[in-house]
Amino acid sequence: MYPMKLTAPLKDYIWGGTRLKTDFGKQTDLEKVAESWELSCHKDGSSIIANGEYAGKTLPELLREQGKSLLGTDCAPFQEFPVLIKLIDARDNLSVQVHPDNEYALRVEGEYGKTEMWYIVDCEPGAGLLYGFQRPISREEFQERIQKNTLLEVTNRVEVHPGDVFFIQAGTLHAIGSGILIAEIQQNSNTTYRVYDYGRIGADGNPRPLHVEKALEVTALTPPPPPAPTRPEKHEGYTSTRLSSCEYFTVDALELETGAKLLADEKSFHALLCLSGEIRLESPRGDLEIRKGESVFLPASYGAYTLTGRGKVILTQV
């Protein structure tokens, strides 16, 4: 196996902007790009291998042909590919929404629930997001405020800055605000329950649907824990910061000064997302140039490799 550059499915949701085209090099005729699914085996859009022997195949096709051993031993408990990695450009506010946990989602929707992590790549001054409630509320108050359009009075708005990290446990009410660009690492799910959408009209000319009854079933009605602090660690040639670690994914931000020596062992694949700079991946199995906005998949047991250059890379493992 060799380092595989991925072509991402692109989504033109109504709240999206143009930065993924202008700043991150996404080639498309779409007027706006709200989301770029950088690493995906989801039925709603799968990554396509862009180079080498397997060019043109989707990542799910590769896994069916070569087997789940490419994912590593830590992925053995998961029946499906465990993660989905996105770049998200919110020109406008996203809907206020919630995602179910595994038990509810598998029973009702037929796919995993969705716990996710947000890394603020960039944002406009004063931009913010909604992160749970300010105080505990009852189910009855939650339902009444949805009906009366007063929900925002009790949600917790947090001003954000580049480098901030938020862990969004399934069941946490949330919304990305306008003017924010995010790298999102999440469970492999596309199930979302909207409860408030600013009265927006969808592409069909009708108000976008809400999913109030399901949201009432799955939403945590207490304030979420505060975001955990991150602690950079200095290494030879780079600095690493552990952004998040849970049963579904482990995510590190690598700030390369000259380079980093890394190892993809038998436990997990490595997914690399370049957020800035021009990076060269060098290894006995092949070399690759990685630019801002590009993603690379390295299978488990790939072995030692080196990233050289200056820039920022998000490394995701399971």
Side-chain angles (χ1 to χ4, degrees):
M1 287 290 174
Y2 58 94
M4 298 175 210
K5 192 172 290 190
L6 302 177
T7 300
L10 306 177
K11 305 294 182 179
D12 61 345
Y13 305 137
I14 62 173
W15 43 262
T18 59
R19 291 193 62 187
L20 296 182
K21 294 197 298 181
T22 59
D23 295 3
F24 287 82
K26 303 304 175 183
Q27 301 296 313
T28 178
D29 292 330
L30 296 174
E31 181 180 347
K32 61 179 67 174
V33 179
E35 296 184 352
S36 171
W37 291 17
E38 294 295 314
L39 179 73
S40 175
C41 287
H42 197 276
K43 59 182 175 60
D44 294 338
S46 294
S47 302
I48 299 173
I49 299 165
N51 65 312
E53 177 184 354
Y54 302 109
K57 289 185 181 294
T58 67
L59 197 52
E61 287 172 341
L62 177 71
L63 295 175
R64 284 194 295 269
E65 290 181 9
Q66 302 296 323
K68 289 184 64 177
S69 62
L70 296 186
L71 302 183
T73 56
D74 285 353
C75 293
F78 302 102
Q79 292 186 349
E80 306 291 339
F81 193 79
V83 298
L84 175 58
I85 299 175
K86 301 176 180 178
L87 285 171
I88 300 177
D89 176 20
R91 185 183 66 184
D92 298 318
N93 294 319
L94 275 69
S95 62
V96 181
Q97 58 189 243
V98 67
H99 308 298
D101 62 15
N102 286 341
E103 186 280 325
Y104 187 94
L106 288 168
R107 174 167 50 86
V108 176
E109 307 294 348
E111 70 171 4
Y112 286 127
K114 185 175 173 184
T115 286
E116 59 193 319
M117 185 221 79
W118 295 341
Y119 176 76
I120 309 299
V121 178
D122 198 11
C123 61
E124 296 176 359
L129 53 81
L130 299 185
Y131 179 56
F133 294 98
Q134 300 172 15
R135 57 172 174 78
I137 70 170
S138 66
R139 176 177 171 141
E140 292 72 25
E141 182 183 358
F142 184 33
Q143 184 173 19
E144 181 180 3
R145 287 187 175 277
I146 294 172
Q147 293 170 343
K148 294 184 176 179
N149 289 327
T150 62
L151 185 60
L152 299 186
E153 295 177 5
V154 292
T155 53
N156 179 39
R157 184 185 187 276
V158 182
E159 186 172 320
V160 299
H161 308 88
D164 287 349
V165 178
F166 295 85
F167 184 75
I168 313 293
Q169 185 76 37
T172 303
L173 196 72
H174 62 275
I176 302 172
S178 62
I180 301 177
L181 198 147
I182 280 177
E184 177 177 287
I185 292 82
Q186 59 162 88
Q187 286 182 267
N188 186 15
S189 173
N190 199 30
T191 296
T192 296
Y193 300 148
R194 297 189 200 101
V195 297
Y196 180 72
D197 196 38
Y198 307 92
R200 284 186 290 210
I201 302 299
D204 60 1
N206 297 311
R208 297 206 299 169
L210 302 181
H211 315 92
V212 175
E213 292 304 318
K214 289 181 177 179
L216 289 171
E217 293 290 327
V218 304
T219 302
L221 301 177
T222 54
T230 57
R231 295 180 176 86
E233 294 186 6
K234 187 71 175 176
H235 306 271
E236 183 179 354
Y238 73 104
T239 299
S240 68
T241 303
R242 176 61 48 88
L243 303 181
S244 184
S245 184
C246 67
E247 61 184 304
Y248 307 115
F249 47 75
T250 296
V251 186
D252 294 282
L254 309 180
E255 193 77 48
L256 304 180
E257 296 150 16
T258 57
K261 295 180 179 180
L262 303 170
L263 175 69
D265 61 19
E266 75 283 353
K267 293 182 179 180
S268 175
F269 64 87
H270 280 199
L272 304 172
L273 169 58
C274 182
L275 296 181
S276 67
E278 293 191 5
I279 311 298
R280 181 172 175 81
L281 186 155
E282 300 174 342
S283 76
R285 298 193 182 196
D287 299 344
L288 200 62
E289 301 290 339
I290 314 171
R291 294 183 173 85
K292 179 179 177 179
E294 293 185 331
S295 288
V296 173
F297 175 79
L298 301 176
S301 299
Y302 182 86
Y305 65 98
T306 302
L307 299 178
T308 60
R310 294 181 63 87
K312 179 173 287 186
V313 174
I314 299 295
L315 167 62
T316 301
Q317 308 171 69
V318 172

